[in-house]
Each structure stands twice: as structure tokens, then as C-alpha cells.
Amino acid sequence: MSLLDPRPDAPRAGRFQWHRTHPIAFDAVLAGAVFACILLGAVVGPHGPHGPRFVGHEPSPTTVVLAALACAALVLRRRLPRTVLAVTGSLTIVELLARSSDPRAPVAASAVIALYSLASRTDRPTTWRVGALTVVVLTAAAMLYGPRPWYAQENLGIFAWTGMAAAAGDAVRSRRAFVTAIRERAERAERTREEEARRRVAEERMRIARELHDVVAHHIALVNVQAGVASHVMDNRPDQAKQALAHVREASRSALEELRATVGLLRQSDDPKAPTEPAPGLGVLDQLVDGFVRAGIPVDLELPQAPRQLPASVDLTAYRVVQEALTNVHKHAGEGARATVRIGHSDTTLTVTVLDDGAGRAGVPRQKGGDRPPMEPGGPGEPEDSGGGHGLIGMRERVFALRGTVVTGPRAAGGFQVRVTLPLQTVRTGETL
């Protein structure tokens, strides 16, 4: 994520990671900052009577050129860390040998940055070998050609800064490797769990398939044999035919029991039992509306025409649409909202419309499509999941299974609407077929 990320929902922390997505630009800015620090250090004396002070003269051209070359090399510190370290270290030694600037410019700062970059991108043995060589060479050059005495603060500072740069770079590299290892381990564990789950599911399916095959094949073979015997002796030996039919009944009963036991293994322990009452429909819509009215939501039910005999699938889907829409009104429109349910139909379609006025006082905003514009199903702008929950998703799946259409979204006058259109002719034809 970068500072130029136009998405308003971008994480705040990710907006400040542009140095990772634009490394060259970051290194150029860093090189400019180091160059400014070197020039500032060239005109500031550290031993004033009251602390650091300006020495009163401008840096020499040699100082400026050496600092510019050393800082320019830092732009390539990620791509060529060893070369950049060699260049900055050499320029540091040249600056120590040149006695044209007094006080000296801290060109060694560029070598410190280069040594840190190399240590953070190589292995530990290389870091310690190259780091030790850099510390020894730069410190020896400073003690031989730097300020007197040889143990002056500036000379020991080069030793300290180069040593800390190598140690800090190695620590950063170790932490980066540790985080990468943890991430890879977590991803590998996740893949292993998923593969194990898929393997167990496949094995269970194979086992159940074998069980079903054995049960069905064995008992159907017995039924086939006994039915053949009964058909053969029906006229001449009716007693034997009755006995064969009794065997057929016993084999079929045993097959049903074993099938029930096998399929029962697929059910979870907390699965609801199969309902024994008929599936609900628009015929009991008034009972559903009364339940929401008692819950505190005024509902106006509009049935312009007398109910007609509907296909069972359309009747159930229309009932579930009204149930889910009123549930969303109860959850998201809040106390005091009024809902309207309209049921209309023609010879070819059934239309279910649920509206609310959005006048509730709920503290929870709409999350199930309430902040989105109306969309026709399958349109180019419809997201894969246009709601915050599973209610509207299930509603769409039911309607699409019957080749219907769904329109959901806010109303211009306020509130929310759900309008479903279900075809009747196609469903009736399919049921006839």
C-alpha cells in the first residue's frame, strides 16, 4: 500500500509503507539526507565552549565532491551492496588522506549506511567478515590520518558507528528471516490441514459409497431372484410364490434399514429432524405477519387479488422472501419502522414486494445491502456478495433457482425495498414435465 492508494478503506499503517513499494525513490531521498548531514558536519565544530558551533568557513570543493560521490553511490545500495560499500569506504579513506578541509567532513556516514545495507541483505558469516574488515580499515585510517591524538573522539566514533551498523544490519536480517519462517510455517500448516481435511472427506465418501454399493447390490439381487421365483410359480404353486414375496418384503425392509443407518452417518448430531408439518406458503402469510406485529413492527399486508393456486416451489419461495425481508426490517430498520408487504400476480408472474420507511431508531446501520444501489441480478455491477450477511444471499439463490429476478436497495423516499418476481409458466411447465 502506498501514499497514492486511492481506496478510502486502505489500512492506515499500509499508507506509510511506500518506501517498500518505491525503493529507488526512498534511497534517493536517503542519499540526499546523508549528503546534507555530511555538509552540515563539515561546517560544525564539535568542541565549542558551549557545545557544537559553526567553524565559520564553507566546505572545500574536494569535500563537496567526495560527499556527493559517496551519497550518489547509496542510491544503488540495495542492488549492489558490496560495490557501494567498497566505493563509500574508499571515498572515506580519500577524505581522511586529503588535508584540505579542516575540520573534516564526516564522509564515513555514507560507509556506515552502506555497511548496514550489506549486513541486512547477506548471511551472517559474510556480514561479520566484511564488517570486521571495514571496521579495521576505516578505524586504522582514521587513527593514522585523522585528528590527533589517535584516540580522538572522531576516530573512535568511526569505530563505534561502523560496528553498530554491522550489528544492526545483522539484527534486522535475522528478524526478517524469523518473520518469513513463521509466515511460511503458518502457510504450510494451513495447507497441510486443508489437504488432510480433503483427504479425510474423500476417504469417507469412498467408504460410504462402498457401503451403499454393498447394501443396494446385495439386497436388490435378492429381491430380483425372489421376484423371479414368484413370477415363475405364481400360477402352479401359489404357496411358494407367497413365500418368495415374503422374502422380497423382508429383503426390501432390511435394505431400507441399512440405507437409513448408512445415510444417518452423514447427519451431524445437532442437525434438526425432518419436519412433519407441510411446507409453509402464502396461505399462512397472515400468521407470519402477525408474529412480526407482535414483535413491535407494524406491517401492512396488501393482497389486491384473491390468492390463487400456486406451484409448491413458488409458494414456498415467496413465503421465505417475505420472512427474510421482514426479518431484515426487524434487525436493521429498528423500532418504530413500518413495513408494507404487497403480493401481486398475473398469468405468468408472481410479484412480492416488501418496503419499509426507514423511520426506526436502531443503533445498528443496515448491513444487508442497505447501503447499496438497486441491482438487477447478473448485472455487470453486482458484486459476488452484495450483503453483509447470508439472508439476501439465500434469498437470491432461491429466486434464481426458479429463474426469477431480485431487486434490493434503498428507496428514494427513505427506507429499503425488496422486490422479487417469480415466473409461473416456466415452473408449471417444469412440474408437468
Side-chain angles (χ1 to χ4, degrees):
M1 208 69 64
S2 68
L3 286 172
L4 302 179
D5 194 339
R7 292 177 295 179
D9 57 344
R12 183 176 181 84
R15 298 181 181 180
F16 298 94
Q17 300 296 323
W18 66 273
H19 63 281
R20 296 183 178 178
T21 57
H22 304 82
I24 299 299
F26 176 78
D27 291 341
V29 173
L30 177 64
V34 174
F35 180 70
C37 292
I38 291 176
L39 294 184
L40 183 63
V43 298
V44 173
H47 303 296
H50 302 289
R53 61 181 178 84
F54 287 96
V55 296
H57 66 81
E58 298 181 355
S60 65
T62 303
T63 298
V64 175
V65 170
L66 292 176
L69 292 177
C71 294
L74 293 179
V75 179
L76 302 176
R77 68 187 184 94
R78 299 174 190 263
R79 297 183 180 182
L80 304 171
R82 300 192 184 195
T83 303
V84 171
L85 178 60
V87 171
T88 54
S90 301
L91 293 174
T92 300
I93 295 176
V94 171
E95 191 274 334
L96 292 173
L97 295 175
R99 298 180 179 272
S100 59
S101 59
D102 190 18
R104 300 181 181 277
V107 180
S110 61
V112 171
I113 301 296
L115 180 58
Y116 167 83
S117 302
L118 183 140
S120 64
R121 285 168 173 78
T122 57
D123 56 282
R124 177 165 294 175
T126 302
T127 297
W128 289 113
R129 286 197 301 268
V130 176
L133 179 63
T134 303
V135 171
V136 170
V137 172
L138 294 184
T139 304
M143 291 181 176
L144 291 176
Y145 304 101
R148 298 302 177 195
W150 63 269
Y151 53 85
Q153 178 180 350
E154 291 83 352
N155 301 335
L156 296 180
I158 293 179
F159 173 80
W161 281 106
T162 51
M164 287 190 297
D170 182 72
V172 170
R173 180 198 57 78
S174 299
R175 181 183 180 278
R176 188 185 299 124
F178 177 72
V179 172
T180 302
I182 292 179
R183 184 181 297 111
E184 292 177 352
R185 190 180 307 162
E187 293 176 354
R188 185 166 57 252
E190 185 67 21
R191 288 194 302 268
T192 302
R193 285 195 297 268
E194 293 177 356
E195 293 173 357
E196 180 67 15
R198 286 194 295 267
R199 184 185 64 81
R200 292 185 179 182
V201 169
E203 291 179 354
E204 186 66 14
R205 287 177 177 175
M206 289 297 297
R207 187 187 66 81
I208 294 175
R210 287 193 297 267
E211 290 284 345
L212 292 176
H213 175 269
D214 294 342
V215 170
V216 173
H218 172 68
H219 291 287
I220 293 300
L222 290 179
V223 169
N224 183 48
V225 172
Q226 296 297 336
V229 172
S231 175
H232 181 69
V233 301
M234 179 68 70
D235 297 331
N236 300 329
R237 288 175 287 181
D239 295 338
Q240 189 174 356
K242 290 181 180 180
Q243 185 179 4
L245 292 176
H247 291 164
V248 169
R249 185 175 63 247
E250 184 66 25
S252 61
R253 183 186 298 111
S254 177
L256 287 175
E257 292 176 355
E258 293 190 25
L259 283 174
R260 187 179 297 110
T262 303
V263 175
L265 296 176
L266 300 177
R267 293 183 178 272
Q268 300 294 331
S269 59
D270 55 349
D271 282 349
K273 296 182 179 180
T276 57
E277 58 183 11
L282 296 182
V284 294
L285 188 59
D286 54 346
Q287 301 178 11
L288 176 66
V289 170
D290 291 340
F292 282 97
V293 171
R294 289 193 299 270
I297 299 180
V299 180
D300 298 329
L301 180 60
E302 300 180 5
L303 294 172
Q305 302 174 5
R308 57 179 294 183
Q309 187 65 29
L310 298 174
S313 56
V314 174
D315 199 17
L316 176 60
T317 299
Y319 179 87
R320 294 304 186 193
V321 166
V322 176
Q323 184 182 40
E324 179 60 32
L326 291 179
T327 301
N328 286 345
V329 173
H330 178 66
K331 289 182 178 179
H332 306 291
E335 182 182 357
R338 176 175 291 275
T340 301
V341 179
R342 297 172 184 168
I343 308 295
H345 57 78
S346 62
D347 293 336
T348 58
T349 60
L350 174 71
T351 303
V352 179
T353 305
V354 181
L355 310 173
D356 71 80
D357 56 9
R361 298 184 296 275
V364 181
R366 288 188 181 276
Q367 297 177 352
K368 295 193 176 184
D371 55 347
R372 292 172 172 81
M375 297 177 295
E376 292 291 343
E382 182 181 11
E384 182 178 353
D385 180 4
S386 58
H390 300 285
L392 290 182
I393 297 175
M395 181 190 301
R396 289 191 177 95
E397 290 177 351
R398 285 179 178 271
V399 175
F400 293 165
L402 300 180
R403 300 182 183 180
T405 59
V406 182
V407 177
T408 61
R411 302 169 58 196
F416 196 76
Q417 68 169 346
V418 175
R419 188 171 73 250
V420 172
T421 302
L422 299 173
L424 300 179
Q425 191 65 32
T426 303
V427 175
R428 186 177 295 107
T429 303
E431 290 180 353
T432 303
L433 292 175

